[in-house]
Amino acid sequence: MFLIGRHYGRGAPKKAYFAGGSTGGREALSLAQRWPGDWDGIIAWYPAWNQLSAMLAGHRASRALAQPGAYPNPAKRALLRRAVLETCDLIDGVADGVVSHQSQCNAIFDPAVAQVAGAPLRCTGGTEAGDACLSDAQIAALNTMNTATRFNFFLASGSSGYPGYNVWGASLGAAAGSSPVHPIETFLNLGTEQPAMPVPAGAPYITKQLDQVIKLGVTRNPAFDSLALDPENPGPWASRFSALSTMLDVGTDLTAFATRGGKLLLAHGVSDVLVSARATEQYYQRLQAQMGAARVNDFVRYYEVPGYGHAVSTVFNATWDSLTALENWVERGSAPRDQITTDTVGVPGRQRPLCEYPAWPRYRGAGDVNAAASFVCTNR
Ligand SMILES: [Ca+2]
């Protein structure tokens, strides 16, 4: 602040904003809680706010994918996505490759009974039979990712678990794709090689991250078999995870930030399988439980973006002029409304309304399917 003041010769900045995604999103929420006097507005995209919890959940997914025959290759992920779209794409009124009503899709999609192009998604008898079906081992791993992780031990952060991921409809790093973001999406999703020990270079990002965290940050043993560590029952490593949780799981007390007049914009892609949007839902719900929904509405907006993943997406690569929205709120007292997000990859240029959680965008039934005005935010 001193340097900025000196450089421009006009004193200290009048307003200070912070924006970040993923770990940057955690930093954003940490700042709002720990140094509420320093920031007038905060933008947090897909925040890993309870990062230790998220890492343990990601490790549970890696262990599930490491089981014999359990790793779905990119071709099988593409097949799964086609099956999900057959079941869920039209729930929002338009076959646009985007599942907009994710909770409804989660409620009705079951890979064990789903169809794709008139054939069962599940292999006959559940036995591996090539890229045209999913085996029971692969279905079991995907179902594990979709379900919550429970910590059967004490964490000093107070965390007792982590929700599952919205697997159904997510790209997961599916086969094919000429987009420049396709390799990044694959890297941040399920990678190209099954988790194993030693961890191969093409393993999912979270597998490689936790391999290093467990070896170097938890057990302090570079030869440790990280995949042998059960994150729900870590045995002798529980106390070390508990210590790390106080550094990596951010709390949810924004009272001082709100009292000072700070504004917070939260956003998360529904198809994020690295940091779950369900965890950000929990963050938002905790704020509401602590402060009341009306007070939260005075200084927080939470938007969920269908189709968007972690940082990038080949389905709906969301962009949003969040800084203008924040400036208008902080500097002009104009709360965000009718916000719009633009896809830059799936169908470049198409737009959707940004809907305040728990609302989702439903096609009105007529009009340009690439225009935001053709959609209405709805809760049902
Ligand atoms: Ca759709």
Side-chain angles (χ1 to χ4, degrees):
M1 293 302 168
F2 175 80
L3 290 173
I4 292 170
R6 285 297 293 259
H7 178 79
Y8 291 100
R10 293 158 59 185
K14 292 183 173 58
K15 299 293 179 189
Y17 302 127
F18 188 96
S22 195
T23 276
R26 176 177 73 255
E27 291 170 350
L29 296 176
S30 182
L31 294 175
Q33 176 166 320
R34 298 171 69 186
W35 295 285
D38 288 353
W39 305 97
D40 300 286
I42 299 273
I43 300 165
W45 266 104
Y46 38 90
W49 66 273
N50 46 356
Q51 169 71 354
L52 193 276
S53 303
M55 290 197 300
L56 291 173
H59 192 58
R60 175 169 167 265
S62 292
R63 282 163 50 89
L65 292 165
Q67 294 303 305
Y71 183 71
N73 66 23
K76 285 172 180 279
R77 293 172 221 165
L79 184 77
L80 169 66
R81 212 179 101 74
R82 284 201 292 277
V84 173
L85 290 178
E86 282 191 21
T87 303
C88 299
D89 195 352
L90 271 171
I91 297 171
D92 55 36
V94 59
D96 57 355
V98 179
V99 176
S100 297
H101 193 2
Q102 186 67 46
S103 61
Q104 178 63 13
C105 185
N106 290 343
I108 64 174
F109 183 79
D110 179 353
V113 299
Q115 300 271 317
V116 56
L121 177 63
R122 177 176 178 258
C123 301
T124 304
T127 307
E128 171 64 42
D131 291 347
C133 61
L134 297 183
S135 69
D136 280 351
Q138 290 144 11
I139 289 172
L142 293 162
N143 281 332
T144 295
M145 291 184 67
N146 182 46
T147 56
T149 300
R150 302 289 173 205
F151 306 143
N152 301 315
F153 63 104
F154 174 78
L155 283 173
S157 67
S159 178
S160 58
Y162 193 82
Y165 306 88
N166 291 320
V167 177
W168 316 134
S171 165
L172 301 177
S178 55
S179 161
V181 307
H182 182 259
I184 309 169
E185 179 185 68
T186 301
F187 166 69
L188 291 174
N189 282 250
L190 298 189
T192 55
E193 292 185 272
Q194 184 175 27
M197 196 55 53
V199 176
Y205 166 77
I206 194 71
T207 307
K208 294 193 282 190
Q209 182 189 16
L210 266 292
D211 183 52
Q212 297 300 302
V213 166
I214 289 169
K215 281 183 163 94
L216 306 177
V218 178
T219 66
R220 279 98 181 254
N221 174 8
F224 193 86
D225 177 359
S226 61
L227 288 172
L229 195 156
D230 179 354
E232 295 182 300
N233 303 285
W237 311 112
S239 61
R240 178 61 183 157
F241 281 122
S242 183
L244 290 172
S245 75
T246 63
M247 295 177 242
L248 292 169
D249 286 350
V250 168
T252 57
D253 181 2
L254 297 184
T255 308
F257 181 72
T259 301
R260 189 176 167 270
K263 308 297 184 194
L264 170 64
L265 300 179
L266 277 169
H268 208 134
V270 169
S271 294
D272 191 331
V273 296
L274 189 58
V275 174
S276 180
R278 297 180 203 169
T280 302
E281 293 168 9
Q282 291 179 343
Y283 182 94
Y284 184 68
Q285 288 159 354
R286 282 192 201 179
L287 292 180
Q288 291 181 317
Q290 291 163 190
M291 309 175 81
R295 186 161 182 222
V296 171
N297 194 55
D298 284 340
F299 80 104
V300 183
R301 290 291 181 278
Y302 175 39
Y303 303 101
E304 288 196 341
V305 189
Y308 192 38
H310 197 79
V312 294
S313 172
T314 56
V315 176
F316 191 100
N317 200 52
T319 59
W320 170 38
D321 186 4
S322 53
L323 182 57
T324 294
L326 187 65
E327 285 175 337
N328 286 336
W329 204 2
V330 171
E331 298 173 23
R332 296 174 187 84
S334 176
R337 50 174 300 180
D338 301 331
Q339 297 294 300
I340 286 172
T341 180
T342 303
D343 180 13
T344 61
V345 173
V347 179
R350 68 174 163 178
Q351 296 188 314
R352 296 285 181 270
L354 267 182
C355 296
E356 291 178 37
Y357 174 80
W360 49 276
R362 184 173 62 197
Y363 183 55
R364 293 180 188 273
D368 182 357
V369 298
N370 295 323
S374 304
F375 292 78
V376 59
C377 291
T378 179
N379 286 322
R380 52 192 173 154

Short mmCIF file of all heavy atoms in Angstrom, two decimals, residues 13 26 60-62 65 86 98 124-125 127 152 161 175 191 193 205 211 261-262 272 297 300 313-314 340 360:
data_model
loop_
_atom_site.label_atom_id
_atom_site.label_comp_id
_atom_site.label_asym_id
_atom_site.label_seq_id
_atom_site.Cartn_x
_atom_site.Cartn_y
_atom_site.Cartn_z
N PRO A 13 -4.28 3.75 -1.58
CA PRO A 13 -5.48 3.41 -2.37
C PRO A 13 -6.75 3.62 -1.54
O PRO A 13 -6.77 3.38 -0.34
CB PRO A 13 -5.29 1.93 -2.70
CG PRO A 13 -3.81 1.71 -2.61
CD PRO A 13 -3.34 2.64 -1.52
N ARG A 26 -9.18 -19.82 -1.16
CA ARG A 26 -9.02 -20.01 0.29
C ARG A 26 -8.34 -18.80 0.90
O ARG A 26 -8.74 -18.31 1.96
CB ARG A 26 -8.19 -21.27 0.58
CG ARG A 26 -7.92 -21.46 2.09
CD ARG A 26 -7.16 -22.73 2.41
NE ARG A 26 -5.78 -22.69 2.04
CZ ARG A 26 -5.25 -23.29 0.99
NH1 ARG A 26 -6.01 -23.99 0.18
NH2 ARG A 26 -3.96 -23.21 0.72
N ARG A 60 -9.13 -40.17 -0.81
CA ARG A 60 -10.09 -41.30 -0.80
C ARG A 60 -10.48 -41.66 -2.24
O ARG A 60 -10.58 -42.86 -2.59
CB ARG A 60 -11.32 -40.92 0.02
CG ARG A 60 -12.44 -41.95 0.01
CD ARG A 60 -13.49 -41.61 1.06
NE ARG A 60 -14.72 -42.37 0.91
CZ ARG A 60 -15.79 -41.93 0.25
NH1 ARG A 60 -15.77 -40.73 -0.35
NH2 ARG A 60 -16.89 -42.66 0.16
N ALA A 61 -10.67 -40.64 -3.08
CA ALA A 61 -11.00 -40.91 -4.49
C ALA A 61 -9.83 -41.61 -5.18
O ALA A 61 -10.04 -42.56 -5.95
CB ALA A 61 -11.33 -39.59 -5.18
N SER A 62 -8.60 -41.18 -4.90
CA SER A 62 -7.43 -41.81 -5.52
C SER A 62 -7.35 -43.29 -5.14
O SER A 62 -7.05 -44.14 -5.99
CB SER A 62 -6.15 -41.11 -5.07
OG SER A 62 -6.09 -39.80 -5.59
N LEU A 65 -9.86 -45.22 -7.11
CA LEU A 65 -9.45 -45.37 -8.50
C LEU A 65 -8.27 -46.32 -8.65
O LEU A 65 -8.01 -46.85 -9.74
CB LEU A 65 -9.10 -44.00 -9.10
CG LEU A 65 -10.26 -43.03 -9.27
CD1 LEU A 65 -9.74 -41.61 -9.52
CD2 LEU A 65 -11.17 -43.47 -10.42
N GLU A 86 -27.83 -38.17 -21.67
CA GLU A 86 -29.10 -38.79 -22.09
C GLU A 86 -30.13 -38.70 -20.96
O GLU A 86 -31.32 -38.53 -21.19
CB GLU A 86 -28.89 -40.26 -22.49
CG GLU A 86 -28.30 -40.41 -23.88
CD GLU A 86 -28.35 -41.86 -24.37
OE1 GLU A 86 -29.18 -42.65 -23.84
OE2 GLU A 86 -27.57 -42.18 -25.28
N VAL A 98 -25.05 -29.28 -21.32
CA VAL A 98 -24.82 -28.77 -19.97
C VAL A 98 -25.93 -29.27 -19.05
O VAL A 98 -27.12 -29.11 -19.37
CB VAL A 98 -24.79 -27.23 -19.94
CG1 VAL A 98 -24.57 -26.73 -18.51
CG2 VAL A 98 -23.69 -26.70 -20.86
N THR A 124 -21.94 -56.22 -19.33
CA THR A 124 -22.69 -57.43 -19.00
C THR A 124 -22.03 -58.16 -17.83
O THR A 124 -20.84 -58.45 -17.86
CB THR A 124 -22.73 -58.37 -20.22
OG1 THR A 124 -23.27 -57.66 -21.33
CG2 THR A 124 -23.60 -59.59 -19.92
N GLY A 125 -22.82 -58.38 -16.79
CA GLY A 125 -22.30 -59.05 -15.61
C GLY A 125 -21.34 -58.21 -14.80
O GLY A 125 -20.75 -58.68 -13.83
N THR A 127 -18.50 -57.16 -15.79
CA THR A 127 -17.12 -57.54 -16.11
C THR A 127 -16.54 -56.63 -17.18
O THR A 127 -17.21 -56.32 -18.17
CB THR A 127 -17.08 -59.00 -16.61
OG1 THR A 127 -17.75 -59.82 -15.65
CG2 THR A 127 -15.66 -59.47 -16.79
N ASN A 152 -13.14 -40.41 10.72
CA ASN A 152 -13.42 -41.15 11.96
C ASN A 152 -12.33 -40.89 13.00
O ASN A 152 -11.85 -41.80 13.67
CB ASN A 152 -13.51 -42.65 11.64
CG ASN A 152 -14.60 -42.93 10.62
OD1 ASN A 152 -15.71 -42.41 10.72
ND2 ASN A 152 -14.29 -43.74 9.63
N GLY A 161 -15.73 -34.06 7.97
CA GLY A 161 -15.85 -34.78 6.71
C GLY A 161 -15.78 -33.83 5.53
O GLY A 161 -15.48 -32.62 5.69
N ALA A 175 -12.22 -38.32 -23.36
CA ALA A 175 -11.43 -38.49 -24.57
C ALA A 175 -11.69 -37.36 -25.56
O ALA A 175 -12.75 -36.75 -25.56
CB ALA A 175 -11.77 -39.83 -25.21
N GLY A 191 -6.72 -37.46 -14.94
CA GLY A 191 -5.43 -37.78 -15.53
C GLY A 191 -5.53 -38.83 -16.62
O GLY A 191 -6.62 -39.10 -17.17
N GLU A 193 -3.36 -41.88 -16.27
CA GLU A 193 -2.83 -43.14 -15.75
C GLU A 193 -3.42 -43.44 -14.38
O GLU A 193 -3.63 -42.53 -13.56
CB GLU A 193 -1.30 -43.08 -15.65
CG GLU A 193 -0.59 -43.03 -16.99
CD GLU A 193 0.92 -43.10 -16.82
OE1 GLU A 193 1.55 -42.04 -16.66
OE2 GLU A 193 1.47 -44.22 -16.87
N TYR A 205 -4.03 -35.29 -10.76
CA TYR A 205 -3.32 -34.26 -10.00
C TYR A 205 -3.41 -34.49 -8.50
O TYR A 205 -2.41 -34.41 -7.78
CB TYR A 205 -3.90 -32.88 -10.36
CG TYR A 205 -3.50 -31.78 -9.43
CD1 TYR A 205 -2.23 -31.21 -9.51
CD2 TYR A 205 -4.37 -31.31 -8.45
CE1 TYR A 205 -1.86 -30.20 -8.64
CE2 TYR A 205 -4.01 -30.31 -7.59
CZ TYR A 205 -2.75 -29.76 -7.68
OH TYR A 205 -2.38 -28.77 -6.82
N ASP A 211 0.36 -37.69 -2.65
CA ASP A 211 1.53 -38.55 -2.50
C ASP A 211 2.66 -37.75 -1.85
O ASP A 211 3.33 -38.23 -0.92
CB ASP A 211 1.95 -39.08 -3.87
CG ASP A 211 3.13 -40.03 -3.77
OD1 ASP A 211 3.06 -40.99 -2.97
OD2 ASP A 211 4.12 -39.82 -4.50
N GLY A 261 -18.52 -3.48 6.42
CA GLY A 261 -19.10 -3.16 5.12
C GLY A 261 -18.49 -3.90 3.96
O GLY A 261 -18.75 -3.56 2.79
N GLY A 262 -17.67 -4.91 4.23
CA GLY A 262 -17.06 -5.69 3.16
C GLY A 262 -18.10 -6.46 2.35
O GLY A 262 -19.15 -6.83 2.87
N ASP A 272 -16.96 -29.28 -10.80
CA ASP A 272 -15.60 -29.29 -10.24
C ASP A 272 -15.42 -30.59 -9.45
O ASP A 272 -16.12 -30.81 -8.47
CB ASP A 272 -15.44 -28.06 -9.33
CG ASP A 272 -14.01 -27.82 -8.89
OD1 ASP A 272 -13.25 -28.79 -8.78
OD2 ASP A 272 -13.68 -26.64 -8.64
N ASN A 297 -27.27 -11.98 2.89
CA ASN A 297 -27.65 -11.40 1.59
C ASN A 297 -27.19 -9.94 1.46
O ASN A 297 -27.04 -9.43 0.35
CB ASN A 297 -29.16 -11.49 1.39
CG ASN A 297 -29.57 -11.22 -0.04
OD1 ASN A 297 -29.09 -11.88 -0.96
ND2 ASN A 297 -30.44 -10.23 -0.23
N VAL A 300 -23.03 -10.95 0.79
CA VAL A 300 -22.50 -12.11 0.07
C VAL A 300 -23.41 -12.48 -1.10
O VAL A 300 -24.64 -12.42 -0.98
CB VAL A 300 -22.39 -13.36 1.00
CG1 VAL A 300 -21.77 -14.53 0.24
CG2 VAL A 300 -21.57 -13.04 2.24
N SER A 313 -12.73 -25.64 -18.25
CA SER A 313 -13.71 -26.64 -18.63
C SER A 313 -13.87 -26.67 -20.14
O SER A 313 -13.92 -25.61 -20.77
CB SER A 313 -15.07 -26.34 -18.00
OG SER A 313 -16.07 -27.20 -18.52
N THR A 314 -13.91 -27.88 -20.69
CA THR A 314 -14.22 -28.00 -22.12
C THR A 314 -15.73 -27.98 -22.35
O THR A 314 -16.17 -27.91 -23.49
CB THR A 314 -13.66 -29.32 -22.69
OG1 THR A 314 -14.18 -30.41 -21.94
CG2 THR A 314 -12.13 -29.32 -22.64
N ILE A 340 -24.15 -12.13 -15.77
CA ILE A 340 -24.08 -13.03 -16.92
C ILE A 340 -22.70 -13.65 -16.99
O ILE A 340 -21.69 -13.00 -16.71
CB ILE A 340 -24.39 -12.26 -18.22
CG1 ILE A 340 -25.90 -11.97 -18.30
CG2 ILE A 340 -23.93 -13.03 -19.46
CD1 ILE A 340 -26.28 -11.05 -19.42
N TRP A 360 -30.87 -22.33 -10.46
CA TRP A 360 -30.13 -22.82 -11.63
C TRP A 360 -30.85 -22.28 -12.87
O TRP A 360 -32.04 -21.94 -12.82
CB TRP A 360 -30.07 -24.35 -11.63
CG TRP A 360 -31.40 -25.01 -11.41
CD1 TRP A 360 -32.00 -25.28 -10.22
CD2 TRP A 360 -32.31 -25.45 -12.42
NE1 TRP A 360 -33.23 -25.86 -10.41
CE2 TRP A 360 -33.43 -25.99 -11.77
CE3 TRP A 360 -32.27 -25.47 -13.83
CZ2 TRP A 360 -34.52 -26.52 -12.45
CZ3 TRP A 360 -33.36 -26.01 -14.51
CH2 TRP A 360 -34.47 -26.52 -13.82
#
